[in-house]
Amino acid sequence: MSGDEGAFDAIASHLDYPMFIVTAADGERRGGCLVGFATQCCIDPPRFVVFISKNNFTYEVASAASHLAIHVVPGDAEDLARLFGEETGDRVDKFERLAFDEGPGGTPLLKRCPDRFAGRVIGRVDGGDHEGFVVEVDHAWGGGGSFFPFSRAREFEPGHDA
């Protein structure tokens, strides 16, 4: 990388993204994890890309899923952010601990996250240690609550190494 050593890390450390929980179901398993690498990537049709660590249990489930649901973590839901950020689905069934509905493709829709959307996975992008799942959004609920920012999640101990 050319330029100042460490400049990108310094810039990125000041960005304060909203945190999301992505959920997936593959017919046999459910998975969900806390993600900070995500953004809208198309206006018409509405599309969103969410990057999931390749070391994560949810990555395995999402890779076999037809749909994903993306939930905006509410600002007052640190316990929920910790559950999906610090626990791993290959050791803990996170969904036993909370209420959810079944969404498109069997994807869990977390009741504590009223701002959420879901859709079919239409493509994937290799991002290095994370893979981007491009979702064509065809269901959305909520609309404008507060969000849990990345700056509050920095201290979490991840269930798996990133």
Side-chain angles (χ1 to χ4, degrees), residues 125-137:
V125 178
D126 184 6
D129 58 2
H130 286 65
E131 186 157 321
F133 291 76
V134 180
V135 174
E136 188 162 277
V137 178

Side-chain angles (χ1 to χ4, degrees), residues 47-143:
R47 293 182 178 162
F48 197 85
V49 63
V50 58
F51 284 83
I52 302 172
S53 170
K54 293 176 181 177
N55 292 334
N56 197 306
F57 173 80
T58 302
Y59 173 79
E60 295 175 28
V61 179
S63 294
S66 62
H67 293 72
L68 297 179
I70 297 99
H71 306 76
V72 179
V73 180
D76 63 354
E78 182 169 336
D79 62 319
L80 192 62
R82 284 189 179 279
L83 173 64
F84 282 91
E86 294 186 327
E87 299 291 341
T88 176
D90 46 13
R91 288 194 293 261
V92 172
D93 182 353
K94 301 170 194 178
F95 299 96
E96 284 182 345
R97 302 179 184 187
L98 44 93
F100 64 92
D101 293 317
E102 188 172 304
T107 303
L109 300 174
L110 307 178
K111 289 188 176 190
R112 287 196 50 207
C113 297
D115 291 340
R116 59 191 182 213
F117 48 92
R120 187 173 50 87
V121 177
I122 62 164
R124 291 165 59 175
V125 178
D126 184 6
D129 58 2
H130 286 65
E131 186 157 321
F133 291 76
V134 180
V135 174
E136 188 162 277
V137 178
D138 54 16
H139 293 79
W141 302 267

